[in-house]
């Protein structure tokens, strides 16, 4: 403090308040929908023959929901370790550009890269969408604390949800299970649209929606990768062309 | 080496760590590595966000068109209609996520109830 009067190090209590503000952001409509999606996931894992401890463990270490659904699919089909790793890896590739776009917004002038590596574990659609919406309203040197509050609350909260549902619910009836499984895509779709900032984002959303299933028919193993690597650049190219036409 | 090929108590956890955690967090860590080298206002970020959005959108498309579990028992047309009507409600309600989700669930629920 004495040496750095120009930009004082934030007090611990201030960090704590930002952490709690981030934690509160988890108690929102996106957070609630994520809980329902995890209710569906717990049912899926139970149906696949996983134990309660394995399911909670998977929730903590993988965290991203599509990656876990793919992993359970691989376990169900008796896939070998390399095959399962590849399938999960392909579904998780999307996390890389998500983190790339989050890091410049999240880091402050003093942020250690190890803090960022630690916080990256919490990145999945919900915390990413909430962060892209709300980080700009958080003071720059408080953003890592805010995101730690948000991310850890989501992870720990849903570990508890998974454990409770796994124990209590038993078999979820077919229609309810179908309705729960529909929550995730609708939630991803609407929140992704809400977080799109530019024309490129909106176009990428449409291209990805169409290319995902199309690529699944042609190259089922690499569907997401193909859809992302075709759809993203195509959206960006169209966006640039449009800008150029508007402002010659 | 599959999930059930070793009888040891620790094997499922090791399998989940190696197949699930390592690959997933490797992608996240690569993101931190590259993200640390990009300026916040960079045009490259618009491009990277487009790729990220297209990838998540592809996940959405596949969850609706090629779902798993109980949702796979419903007809494709019903799922697409539920998603489209739900999304239209989201836009018409002034981007209320909850409105979009509830309407699409209502359409899907009605379809299942009617035995479509």
């Amino acid at each position: 403090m004495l040496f750095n009067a120009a930009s004082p190090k934030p007090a611990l209590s201030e960090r704590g308040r930002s952490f709690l503000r981030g934690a509160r952001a988890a108690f929102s409509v996106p957070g609630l929908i994520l809980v329902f999606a995890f209710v569906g996931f717990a049912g899926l894992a139970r149906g696949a023959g996983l134990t309660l401890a394995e399911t909670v463990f998977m929730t903590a270490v993988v965290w991203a929901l599509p990656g876990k659904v793919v992993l359970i699919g691989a376990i169900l089909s008796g896939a070998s370790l390399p095959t399962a790793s590849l399938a999960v890896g392909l579904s998780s590739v999307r996390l890389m550009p998500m983190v790339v776009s989050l890091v410049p917004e999240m880091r402050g002038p003093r942020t250690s890269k190890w803090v960022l590596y630690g916080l990256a574990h919490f990145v999945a659609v919900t915390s990413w969408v909430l962060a892209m919406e709300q980080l700009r309203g958080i003071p720059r040197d408080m953003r890592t604390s805010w995101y730690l509050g948000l991310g850890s609350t989501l992870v720990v909260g849903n570990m508890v949800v998974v454990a409770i549902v796994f124990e209590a619910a038993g078999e979820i009836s077919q229609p309810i299970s179908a309705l729960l499984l529909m929550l995730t895509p609708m939630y991803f779709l609407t929140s992704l649209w809400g977080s799109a900032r530019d024309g490129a984002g909106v176009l990428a959303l449409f291209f990805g929606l169409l290319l995902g299933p199309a690529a699944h028919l042609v190259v089922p193993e690499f569907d997401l990768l193909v859809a992302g690597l075709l759809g993203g650049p195509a959206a960006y190219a169209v966006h640039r062309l449009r800008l150029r036409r508007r402002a010659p | 080496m599959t999930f059930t090929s070793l009888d040891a108590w620790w094997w499922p956890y090791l399998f989940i760590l190696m197949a699930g955690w390592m690959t997933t967090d490797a992608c996240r860590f690569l993101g931190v590595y590259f993200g640390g080298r990009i300026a916040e206002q960079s045009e490259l970020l618009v491009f990277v966000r487009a790729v990220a959005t297209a990838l998540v959108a592809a996940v959405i498309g596949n969850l609706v068109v090629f779902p798993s579990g109980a949702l796979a028992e419903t007809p494709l047309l019903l799922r697409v209609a539920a998603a489209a009507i739900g999304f239209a409600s989201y836009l018409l309600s002034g981007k209320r996520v909850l409105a979009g989700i509830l309407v699409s669930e209502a359409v899907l629920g009605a379809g299942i109830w009617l035995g479509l």
Side-chain angles (χ1 to χ4, degrees), chain A residues 104-214:
Chain A
E105 302 227 351
M106 202 156 67
R107 66 168 174 225
R110 240 194 301 266
T111 308
S112 141
K113 65 178 182 208
W114 301 114
V115 170
L116 294 172
Y117 278 107
L119 290 176
H121 179 70
F122 297 119
V123 173
V125 167
T126 302
S127 69
W128 185 72
V129 164
L130 285 171
M132 296 302 262
E133 267 173 20
Q134 298 179 27
L135 263 187
R136 278 172 291 180
I138 311 293
R140 173 132 325 245
D141 52 358
M142 286 294 127
R143 290 180 181 178
T144 48
S145 305
W146 183 89
Y147 192 72
L148 178 66
L150 170 67
S152 59
T153 305
L154 287 172
V155 172
V156 174
N158 282 296
M159 285 167 68
V160 174
V161 167
V162 164
I164 293 173
V165 172
F166 202 99
E167 273 301 301
E171 291 291 308
I172 302 171
S173 77
Q174 281 282 100
I176 299 294
S177 172
L179 290 176
L180 284 173
L181 286 167
M182 191 70 186
L183 276 175
T184 309
M186 281 317 291
Y187 160 54
F188 280 11
L189 179 63
T190 47
S191 48
L192 200 58
W193 181 278
S195 72
R197 292 189 188 168
D198 37 53
V202 170
L203 283 168
L205 181 62
F206 277 117
F207 289 171
L209 280 176
L210 299 175
L211 283 170

Side-chain angles (χ1 to χ4, degrees), chain A residues 51-54 57, chain B residues 3 9-18:
Chain A
T51 67
L52 167 70
E54 287 160 9
F57 181 71
Chain B
F3 190 68
W9 69 268
W10 45 263
W11 172 246
Y13 297 96
L14 191 62
F15 190 95
I16 291 170
L17 273 182
M18 293 204 290

Side-chain angles (χ1 to χ4, degrees), chain B residues 42-91:
Chain B
S42 148
E43 185 65 21
L44 186 59
L45 265 187
V46 179
F47 177 81
V48 172
R49 269 204 304 268
V51 175
T53 304
L55 277 162
V56 179
V59 174
I60 299 169
N62 284 350
L63 283 173
V64 172
V65 178
F66 303 104
S68 54
L71 194 56
E73 310 292 317
T74 61
L76 172 65
L77 204 62
L78 175 61
R79 295 193 300 267
V80 173
I85 297 170
F87 187 65
S89 317
Y90 162 77
L91 292 179

Side-chain angles (χ1 to χ4, degrees), chain A residues 92-115:
Chain A
S92 301
V93 169
R94 70 195 164 77
L95 294 169
M96 189 174 80
M98 285 165 71
V99 175
V100 171
S101 52
L102 186 60
V103 161
E105 302 227 351
M106 202 156 67
R107 66 168 174 225
R110 240 194 301 266
T111 308
S112 141
K113 65 178 182 208
W114 301 114
V115 170

